[in-house]
Amino acid sequence: MAENKTKATAASAGDYVAAIADESRRRDCDRLMGLMAKASKHPAVMWGPAIVGFGVHRYPLAGGKQGEICAVGFSSRKGDISIYGVTGHPQASELLARLGKHKLGKGCLYISRLADIDLNVMAQLVSQAVEDKQA
């Protein structure tokens, strides 16, 4: 079986965010990094070259093996900020209804900017997702 390409690295999450060219997006990602670290109770760690992750989620694979990815995370993409891992817990749909302007994709939440969402709701999404995955 192929190994997971997205792994925790020693790269600096702060350097990743500082290198974001758009000043507004850089500020949003810096604030989001602080919010997610506080809500998840885990430090920011780079997963691959472009995902700022928090915590570790281990999951079973075929043949008794185990995969691993960040419990929650985000990445600054071309059009939006992609937020990973926050939509699968049982209370997510109720919280998403109160979040504000966002789009949903396959396992991802997309926001254009932090001003479009309720940061308290985002913090709840993050903390509940991490709790759910580490239970």
Side-chain angles (χ1 to χ4, degrees):
M1 173 167 238
E3 207 173 299
N4 191 352
K5 294 179 185 177
T6 306
K7 298 179 184 181
T9 71
S12 166
D15 288 350
Y16 167 77
V17 170
I20 296 170
D22 181 86
E23 184 179 343
S24 177
R25 174 67 63 86
R26 185 172 55 248
R27 276 194 313 267
D28 278 355
C29 287
D30 190 51
R31 286 185 64 204
L32 184 59
M33 185 167 56
L35 179 150
M36 292 181 86
K38 184 176 181 181
S40 70
K41 299 180 180 130
H42 293 281
V45 172
M46 288 303 298
W47 285 76
I51 297 175
V52 179
F54 305 85
V56 177
H57 173 58
R58 291 180 179 85
Y59 53 93
L61 296 171
K65 295 187 179 191
Q66 192 174 63
E68 151 176 311
I69 191 66
C70 54
V72 295
F74 74 90
S75 184
S76 178
R77 301 294 186 192
K78 187 176 184 177
D80 293 311
I81 300 171
S82 300
I83 302 172
Y84 307 106
V86 299
T87 62
H89 63 86
Q91 296 82 19
S93 56
E94 174 195 328
L95 291 169
L96 290 168
R98 299 185 353 236
L99 180 63
K101 186 177 176 185
H102 69 279
K103 295 178 275 186
L104 293 174
K106 191 175 183 180
C108 297
L109 170 74
Y110 302 100
I111 61 170
S112 294
R113 52 198 186 112
L114 287 186
D116 292 339
I117 64 168
D118 183 322
L119 297 180
N120 291 323
V121 174
M122 176 56 73
Q124 288 179 299
L125 279 165
V126 169
S127 64
Q128 288 184 355
V130 170
E131 286 174 20
D132 187 52
K133 290 175 183 167
Q134 296 181 343

